[in-house]
Amino acid sequence: MNQCDDSFALVDALLADRTNLLEHRPTLCMEVGCGSGYVITSLALMLGQEAYGAYYIATDINPHAVRVTSETLQAHGVYADLITTEIASGLEKRLEGLVDVMVVNPPYVPTPEDEVGREGIASAWAGGENGRSVIDKILPIADKLMSDRGWLYMVTLTANNPSEICLQMREKGYASRIVVQRSTEEESLHVIKFWRDFDSQPVGNEMGTVNKIVPAGVIESLLSQVPGLSFWRYGNSNSR
């Protein structure tokens, strides 16, 4: 599988779900592991002015990836706050229950465990045994950060056992569906969408409880208080 194919598939999944995303009216969108910035930039562009007031944030453990993402955002005239950190380390308490849309293209390639998290480009794909080492760290963090109406879009391979991932999320109260599936001779790639399933609970809104509102300036204020993190702002704030 070409390393670009997964990013293209994730963006195609977001495009396929664009009408739903616009109706969803997300307040806070987040990408974990932004890499080149292609996905978070594409999300900001496809929602555009129709999702006025949406706030974008992206993280990556690799400072070089954060710099490249900044350039991608600037080149397309869109805005996001970028943070150099592992997954969402240092942000969990401040962003708990606030993320309406999370996109993740994790390191998913099965590799020896000692390759996971190494410096350099290998960290972008090394996923450890069954390619699940990083995925299994991300899922509980996503559960904590996402709002009651939060949607998670995640790339997986067949080798990651996506059915087991869906079952694991089901136990946390999430429904799921495959938005995009791509196959090559070697592997099959899936983009799975997860959302909290309130069907069995008596709620007045099909999306669950009313989303927490993030007032203007609150995220910036919170992030500026996070010690030890590189907090960079890029893009044209007027284009939000």
Side-chain angles (χ1 to χ4, degrees):
M1 185 74 68
N2 186 295
Q3 288 301 311
C4 292
D5 290 345
D6 47 13
S7 294
F8 295 150
L10 182 50
V11 168
D12 285 349
L14 296 171
L15 283 169
D17 219 28
R18 181 175 181 267
T19 299
N20 291 326
L21 283 164
L22 288 171
E23 292 176 354
H24 193 49
R25 298 183 64 84
T27 300
L28 178 59
C29 301
M30 180 177 186
E31 181 176 15
V32 172
C34 53
S36 69
Y38 172 69
V39 176
I40 192 68
T41 299
S42 298
L43 179 61
L45 287 171
M46 74 176 68
L47 296 183
Q49 296 296 326
E50 295 177 72
Y52 178 78
Y55 194 100
Y56 301 90
I57 183 172
T59 68
D60 203 292
I61 195 172
N62 186 336
H64 176 69
V66 171
R67 287 193 296 271
V68 173
T69 295
S70 75
E71 294 167 1
T72 304
L73 288 162
Q74 286 180 319
H76 293 85
V78 289
Y79 169 97
D81 283 327
L82 306 180
I83 300 174
T84 306
T85 190
E86 182 180 11
I87 305 178
S89 180
L91 302 174
E92 290 102 329
K93 290 183 179 179
R94 292 166 174 83
L95 298 184
E96 182 174 0
L98 293 179
V99 179
D100 294 325
V101 174
M102 180 178 289
V103 291
V104 186
N105 180 9
Y108 53 64
V109 176
T111 63
E113 286 294 331
D114 61 4
E115 292 186 13
V116 177
R118 281 186 176 179
E119 292 186 4
I121 191 65
S123 64
W125 66 73
E129 185 178 357
N130 300 322
R132 288 280 295 274
S133 291
V134 180
I135 290 174
D136 289 342
K137 290 179 181 178
I138 291 173
L139 293 176
I141 295 172
D143 178 41
K144 183 175 183 179
L145 296 188
M146 286 198 297
S147 68
D148 287 343
R149 56 197 291 273
W151 294 351
L152 168 64
Y153 298 83
M154 176 177 279
V155 179
T156 67
L157 293 180
T158 302
N160 305 145
N161 197 342
S163 296
E164 186 182 51
I165 294 173
C166 291
L167 179 60
Q168 183 178 329
M169 291 296 280
R170 182 69 210 170
E171 292 172 352
K172 294 178 182 293
Y174 289 83
S176 60
R177 70 179 176 90
I178 295 174
V179 182
V180 165
Q181 181 172 350
R182 299 276 167 79
S183 296
T184 67
E185 293 181 0
E186 298 97 19
E187 192 49 276
S188 183
L189 180 152
H190 308 80
V191 179
I192 307 174
K193 177 182 178 180
F194 299 94
W195 65 95
R196 298 186 192 275
D197 185 2
F198 293 96
D199 288 349
S200 61
Q201 302 178 26
V203 294
N205 184 315
E206 66 176 4
M207 293 309 300
T209 58
V210 176
N211 184 34
K212 298 178 183 179
I213 301 300
V214 187
V218 168
I219 296 294
E220 179 177 351
S221 175
L222 291 175
L223 296 179
S224 67
Q225 300 170 28
V226 181
L229 294 182
S230 297
F231 169 54
W232 298 355
R233 163 171 287 181
Y234 292 104
N236 181 358
S237 60
N238 294 325
S239 66
R240 280 192 292 176

